Amino acid sequence: MKTLTFLLCILIATSLCAQDVSKENLAALQDEELLELFNQVYTDSIKAEKVARTYLNRARAQEDTIKMARGYDRLARIFHPEKNLRFADSVIVLTEHTNHITYPALGYILKATNYYEMNNLELVVMNYLLAYRIAENRNNTSQQVFVMDNLVYFKAIWGNPFEALKLQRKRHEIVNSPEFIQNKRKTVRKGVISKIGKEYTHDLILSYESFSFCFLNMKELDSARFYTNKAYNLVRVYDGFEKEYHKILLREYNMQISFYDNKFKETLKYSDSLLKSKTIVDDPYNLKNVYFFKGLAHLKLGEQKKGFSYLLLADSIYDNSDVQIVMPYQRKLFEQLYYFNDSLNNRENKIIYLNKMLRVDSVLKKNYRFYEPNLIKKFETPRLLKEKENLIAGLEKKQKVTKSISYWYLLIAILSLTAFLFYYGRQRIYKQRYENLIAKQTKPKTDITSQDVVTSISTSIISDILTSLEQFESKQEYLSQNISLTKLAKTFGTNSNYLSKVINLKMEKSFPQYINDLRVDYAAEELRTNRQFRRFTIKAIAEDCGFRSAESFSKAFYKSHGIYPSYYIKKLNKKNEGL
């Protein structure tokens, strides 16, 4: 199936160049070369951020609003959705009063893309429609057909696929109109006009893929196969952006067409060929899709063990994926695994999959209500809840069969009481630590200039290092993830031994602890004063503060303040609610 992350990339002109992102090399590149370099490295967020910020800083120095928007535009593509949305908003704020052909419509497209990853279909469509109206007013047909392509996709899944097909035919007419390429030339930068031909071929490929997708959802398999072949014939001679992606997508379509056409061995051939692709293996969304249809095909062939093993693999990806985009077919996945556990009389797992179906139903009902109210009747949530209650009651009845259960209950009660007392005591400690943190009770720093230990370092060197550290802290450079003692010493114009000794004595901590404490203090203050910041995930907060993982951030926060960031956020939110 299509992903919006890929569809967004059709707006980027592509070019291959060296991946040297050193400060010196970036400074030597022209503006257009920087954008071309970004196109190659955008999947590596560290490299991509360096390129984008170089472009953005240069635009700021030039006071060029549109170039600044391009810089924020690139930054809005490389991080987690919450952070990307902030950069997309910057694009919109910068350009909302301009009459530019690309902006601010592209800012709304970026927002739609990130809301999709957050499973908020209403905000996805709202932002796409805003982008479409602006694109229509500016006569930007490239953006219009891009937005239409996504609306076709959503309508085919969540609404009426016949109406989706009508919209796709309208889109295809625009792409095939004589004015399309002429208008397209007006929407691209001068540096990429030479690539218009490839982009037009790419638009045609996308158009045929959308026809195939519509017919696939309508289960008109001959038509779906016809347009899949038309798209594949173009892809074979196409040498532009993401050729490999299109080949894989079309193989996925053929896999699904074969399945719905009851050609299950052919389905397995397509799924096996897809699993040999590194692109599929590295993409949780598409990998889950391949495992799902491979599992169903084995079940249709009577190979129960193999079938359910692949369905369980698909389920494991759903559980472990950071971005859990909910699609209608996932309900079928959980239904199959529910019936599988029913055949094993495994009531515990049946409850697990009932809960998953209920969770997916909540998303599906919301999306169907938004796109097609009549389809809500397909869901039987009340029946599922009743079945869940019956299963739980059955488990409780089964647990009371033997006398030994009463001893287990007694043991559980004792353990629960112990756990409660431990929890209550720990919460009191946490509450005191939280109040200490709010009151900013910090340990005074030591004046190292009076200590005999540093007699080997001259007073002027110590003074220079302390001044550099003050500037380092005031500029919040500790938020970068690429800090090391050696690099920082080199930046200060001193050696790592001197820097380490000054930090050890002045701060009474090691260099890693010093950096972590700065980041943690920044996080604590930002969380206290910025309500929006508290809405981010722990992982997103950790990355913003310079940590490489949520776990390392939580450990550092606890080590510094004796409480976890999740507890701190909870108390802050509760305090605000009481205001």
Side-chain angles (χ1 to χ4, degrees), residues 369-385:
R369 184 181 294 113
F370 180 67
Y371 253 109
E372 193 68 40
N374 292 332
L375 295 179
I376 299 174
K377 297 176 183 178
K378 285 187 175 182
F379 296 100
E380 302 177 272
T381 299
R383 182 187 63 80
L384 293 181
L385 289 170

Side-chain angles (χ1 to χ4, degrees), residues 312-556:
L312 287 169
L313 284 173
D315 179 46
S316 68
I317 295 173
Y318 176 84
D319 286 337
N320 297 324
S321 177
D322 290 334
V323 180
Q324 294 189 357
I325 299 173
V326 175
M327 301 296 287
Y329 78 85
Q330 287 169 337
R331 195 179 195 281
K332 179 72 171 178
L333 168 65
F334 299 142
E335 282 180 359
Q336 290 290 333
L337 291 173
Y338 170 83
Y339 293 131
F340 171 65
N341 283 282
D342 186 43
S343 68
L344 300 176
N345 199 26
N346 189 326
R347 296 188 178 185
E348 290 85 351
N349 282 349
K350 284 174 68 178
I351 292 173
I352 289 173
Y353 288 108
L354 274 173
N355 282 331
K356 287 188 176 184
M357 278 192 278
L358 289 167
R359 194 159 59 242
V360 170
D361 278 0
S362 67
V363 176
L364 300 189
K365 287 184 71 174
K366 180 180 178 181
N367 289 349
Y368 278 133
R369 184 181 294 113
F370 180 67
Y371 253 109
E372 193 68 40
N374 292 332
L375 295 179
I376 299 174
K377 297 176 183 178
K378 285 187 175 182
F379 296 100
E380 302 177 272
T381 299
R383 182 187 63 80
L384 293 181
L385 289 170
K386 183 65 177 177
E387 188 170 353
K388 177 182 172 182
E389 291 173 1
N390 291 338
L391 282 170
I392 293 173
L395 281 174
E396 291 175 348
K397 183 177 180 180
K398 182 179 179 181
Q399 289 172 346
K400 294 177 182 178
V401 172
T402 60
K403 293 182 180 180
S404 61
I405 292 297
S406 60
Y407 296 108
W408 283 108
Y409 281 150
L410 178 61
L411 178 60
I412 290 170
I414 294 172
L415 290 174
S416 298
L417 179 61
T418 304
F420 173 77
L421 292 174
F422 173 77
Y423 175 81
Y424 179 76
R426 187 176 64 175
Q427 290 300 105
R428 290 186 63 184
I429 295 172
Y430 278 6
K431 183 179 180 182
Q432 183 60 51
R433 290 173 179 174
Y434 164 80
E435 292 172 353
N436 291 344
L437 176 54
I438 292 296
K440 297 184 178 178
Q441 296 179 358
T442 57
K443 186 177 181 180
K445 295 180 179 179
T446 306
D447 183 3
I448 68 167
T449 57
S450 64
Q451 297 185 27
D452 296 334
V453 188
V454 295
T455 54
S456 60
I457 308 177
S458 70
T459 304
S460 62
I461 291 176
I462 294 173
S463 179
D464 289 343
I465 291 176
L466 291 177
T467 300
S468 296
L469 285 172
E470 287 177 359
Q471 294 175 353
F472 170 76
E473 293 181 18
S474 67
K475 293 179 181 179
Q476 297 179 342
E477 293 175 353
Y478 49 82
L479 298 180
S480 170
Q481 292 185 353
N482 300 315
I483 296 175
S484 69
L485 179 63
T486 303
K487 287 181 180 178
L488 196 59
K490 186 176 180 181
T491 303
F492 288 179
T494 185
N495 65 56
S496 56
N497 185 40
Y498 285 176
L499 178 59
S500 176
K501 186 172 292 187
V502 169
I503 290 174
N504 287 341
L505 296 171
K506 178 67 176 175
M507 316 300 177
E508 296 187 63
K509 59 187 71 171
S510 65
F511 175 79
Q513 185 62 47
Y514 165 64
I515 296 297
N516 281 346
D517 285 353
L518 286 174
R519 291 169 174 170
V520 163
D521 289 345
Y522 169 84
E525 181 62 14
E526 190 71 8
L527 288 168
R528 186 180 69 83
T529 58
N530 188 343
R531 182 177 298 182
Q532 182 65 29
F533 198 66
R534 296 199 293 271
R535 295 177 181 174
F536 297 163
T537 62
I538 297 298
K539 181 181 179 182
I541 295 170
E543 290 177 355
D544 269 5
C545 297
F547 291 93
R548 295 187 181 276
S549 68
E551 182 181 3
S552 61
F553 169 56
S554 294
K555 286 182 178 178

Side-chain angles (χ1 to χ4, degrees), residues 49-94:
E49 182 177 12
K50 289 181 179 179
V51 178
R53 289 200 180 276
T54 300
Y55 187 92
L56 178 60
N57 291 336
R58 190 179 296 177
R60 284 171 173 163
Q62 297 169 353
E63 297 184 354
D64 189 319
T65 299
I66 298 304
K67 284 187 177 180
M68 289 168 61
R70 288 196 192 111
Y72 283 119
D73 161 7
R74 269 61 181 182
L75 288 170
R77 308 168 191 234
I78 58 179
F79 300 106
H80 52 81
E82 293 94 338
K83 190 170 183 178
N84 287 342
L85 284 170
R86 289 188 293 175
F87 288 126
D89 281 331
S90 296
V91 172
I92 295 168
V93 170
L94 270 173

Side-chain angles (χ1 to χ4, degrees), residues 30-253:
Q30 299 296 318
D31 290 347
E32 197 62 41
E33 291 172 328
L34 281 172
L35 295 177
E36 289 176 349
L37 178 57
F38 177 89
N39 293 338
Q40 185 179 358
V41 303
Y42 77 93
T43 55
D44 184 330
S45 62
I46 295 175
K47 290 182 178 180
E49 182 177 12
K50 289 181 179 179
V51 178
R53 289 200 180 276
T54 300
Y55 187 92
L56 178 60
N57 291 336
R58 190 179 296 177
R60 284 171 173 163
Q62 297 169 353
E63 297 184 354
D64 189 319
T65 299
I66 298 304
K67 284 187 177 180
M68 289 168 61
R70 288 196 192 111
Y72 283 119
D73 161 7
R74 269 61 181 182
L75 288 170
R77 308 168 191 234
I78 58 179
F79 300 106
H80 52 81
E82 293 94 338
K83 190 170 183 178
N84 287 342
L85 284 170
R86 289 188 293 175
F87 288 126
D89 281 331
S90 296
V91 172
I92 295 168
V93 170
L94 270 173
T95 61
E96 61 184 341
H97 298 302
T98 67
N99 193 34
H100 195 265
I101 197 165
T102 301
Y103 302 106
L106 186 52
Y108 289 109
I109 289 173
L110 289 163
K111 291 188 72 171
T113 302
N114 286 285
Y115 278 125
Y116 176 76
E117 293 193 8
M118 297 167 70
N119 263 326
N120 194 327
L121 186 63
E122 291 188 42
L123 287 179
V124 171
V125 175
M126 183 191 78
N127 280 280
Y128 271 135
L129 292 177
L130 285 170
Y132 186 85
R133 292 190 191 104
I134 297 171
E136 191 174 34
N137 289 335
R138 310 284 167 86
N139 199 26
N140 189 325
T141 52
S142 292
Q143 288 183 338
Q144 289 178 58
V145 298
F146 174 81
V147 172
M148 290 173 74
D149 190 59
N150 286 290
L151 294 178
V152 167
Y153 176 72
F154 291 130
K155 194 70 175 175
I157 295 174
W158 303 109
N160 187 327
F162 294 93
E163 292 181 8
L165 182 60
K166 290 180 183 178
L167 183 59
Q168 167 52 26
R169 284 175 173 152
K170 180 179 177 182
R171 179 192 182 278
H172 194 63
E173 286 178 9
I174 295 174
V175 172
N176 281 289
S177 66
E179 300 85 12
F180 181 68
I181 293 183
Q182 183 180 353
N183 289 339
K184 196 175 184 70
R185 289 180 180 277
K186 299 176 183 178
T187 66
V188 298
R189 305 184 313 276
K190 292 180 180 179
V192 294
I193 287 180
S194 60
K195 301 179 179 67
I196 288 291
K198 286 183 181 179
E199 286 202 16
Y200 178 68
T201 301
H202 193 246
D203 284 324
L204 284 176
I205 292 171
L206 287 170
S207 201
Y208 292 140
E209 287 174 348
S210 289
F211 273 123
S212 179
F213 189 72
C214 288
F215 284 119
L216 185 57
N217 279 272
M218 293 162 61
K219 299 299 185 291
E220 294 189 15
L221 304 182
D222 289 339
S223 296
R225 190 177 288 109
F226 171 78
Y227 281 103
T228 298
N229 291 337
K230 283 183 74 72
Y232 189 75
N233 288 335
L234 272 182
V235 170
R236 283 195 305 176
V237 298
Y238 172 68
D239 62 347
F241 186 53
E242 293 286 0
K243 177 173 182 170
E244 183 61 24
Y245 170 86
H246 288 291
K247 290 168 66 176
I248 287 172
L249 178 65
L250 293 170
R251 267 187 280 169
E252 279 197 62
Y253 284 178

